Amino acid sequence: MGSISLRGVEKTYGRGPKANKVIHGVDAEIADGEFVVIVGPSGCGKSTLLRMVAGLEDITGGEIAIGGRVVNRLEPSERDIAMVFQNYALYPHMSVFDNMAYGLKIAKVPKAEIEVRVQKAAKILELGALLDRTPRQLSGGQRQRVAMGRAIVRQPQVFLFDEPLSNLDAKLRAQTRLEIQKLHAELGVTSLFVTHDQVEAMTLAQRMIVMNGGVMEQIGTPEAVYARPASTFVAGFIGSPPMNLLPGRAEGLRFEAEGQVLQLPAPSPRTGELVLGVRPEHTALGPDGAWSATVEMVEMLGAERLVHCRLGPGLFTVRIEGTRTPPRLGDTVRLQASADHLHWFDKATGRRVE
C-alpha cells in the first residue's frame, strides 16, 4: 500500500525570534495509486513539502506516514520512495542502462533481475534503442525519460516528482506530460508531483493541492478547484487567463466597485464588502450587457481571442471565439456576466462565500 498521510505537517527554519515558519500545518490524505499534484508560485513551500515526504528535509511538527508507516525519523533510503528531479541527476560517464541499473546494483539486486527490470522500464519509456548511449548523446526529453526509468526500476511504493519538466521546451513538456500520464496508468504507483505551472497541474492531476505561503489553500480534483475555488488566491492562480476579481460592496442585485455601480444578474449571497469573481469564458460581449467597459487590448490566440477591457479601476478579460470580429481598441462595449457562474469571496479573508 502506497498511501501517504500528511497530518499537521510543519516546517520552521531557525529558532526563537528569528524562526521562519515556511509550512503551516498541512493535512492531506493521498490514496494508494493516486496521482496528486502540488501546485503554487515560487517560494510557496511545495518543494519543501515534497522533500519532507522524501526525507531530505526534517519535519518540525506533525506526522508523515507512507503505506500506514510513520516515516518522520526514517532515512530516505528506508522510505521505499523514488524521486525524479528537475536536473535529471544522471551520471555523465555511464550508459543509459548503467544509469538506470545503478541503484539496483548498490542494493545488491541479482544481475538477472536487474536486466529484466531495466529492459521492462526501457520498453515502457521507449528507451530500448538508447541503452548504450551516454547522457550527452541524448536530448533533454530523453534524459528526463532516463531519470524516470531509474525511478521505475526501483519498484517503490511512491514516486516523487520535483518540477521534472521545467528544463524542457513547450513541445517536449507536452509530450512528456503524456508519457507521465501513460506511465501512471500502466504502473498505478502513488505519485506526488510538484510544479509551479497550473496548466501542468490541471492536465496531470487526479487531485491537486494548491499552496500559498506555506498554507494549503485547497485540495480537490482539477474540475472542482476550477469550478469552486476556495479563495481569491486559488481563483487568480488556477485558470489561464485567471478569473476576473472585482472588490467592492454588494447589496442584492447591486454591486459598487470603486464608485462604479454594476447591476448583477443574480443577487449577492450577503450584503457587505465582497470580491466578485467572474471567469473570462463566463462573460459575453453584446448590446444587452449590463456593464459598460472600454477595450484596451485584444489578444489573438488561434481558436479564441482575449478582449481586455477597463471596467472601473481595473482590467476585465473576456474570452470570445477566434472567428468572431473583435472590438477595436478604445471601443466602449457592453458586458454580461453569467448568472450561474458568479463567485463571491470575503474581502477581508479572501475565502469563498457561499
Side-chain angles (χ1 to χ4, degrees), residues 12-65:
T12 303
Y13 292 105
R15 295 184 179 180
K18 293 186 178 180
N20 179 26
K21 194 170 188 179
V22 296
I23 301 292
H24 303 262
V26 171
D27 291 284
E29 295 293 329
I30 298 164
D32 182 35
E34 193 172 18
F35 196 111
V36 173
V37 175
I38 306 173
V39 63
S42 297
C44 71
K46 55 189 184 295
S47 289
T48 300
L49 185 60
L50 189 81
R51 290 172 64 83
M52 287 195 287
V53 175
L56 302 175
E57 293 273 0
D58 293 331
I59 300 168
T60 307
E63 187 175 270
I64 295 176

Side-chain angles (χ1 to χ4, degrees), residues 265-288:
S268 61
R270 72 182 191 206
T271 298
E273 298 294 321
L274 294 172
V275 176
L276 170 61
V278 187
R279 290 211 179 272
E281 62 269 29
H282 296 145
T283 312
L285 291 179
D288 298 328

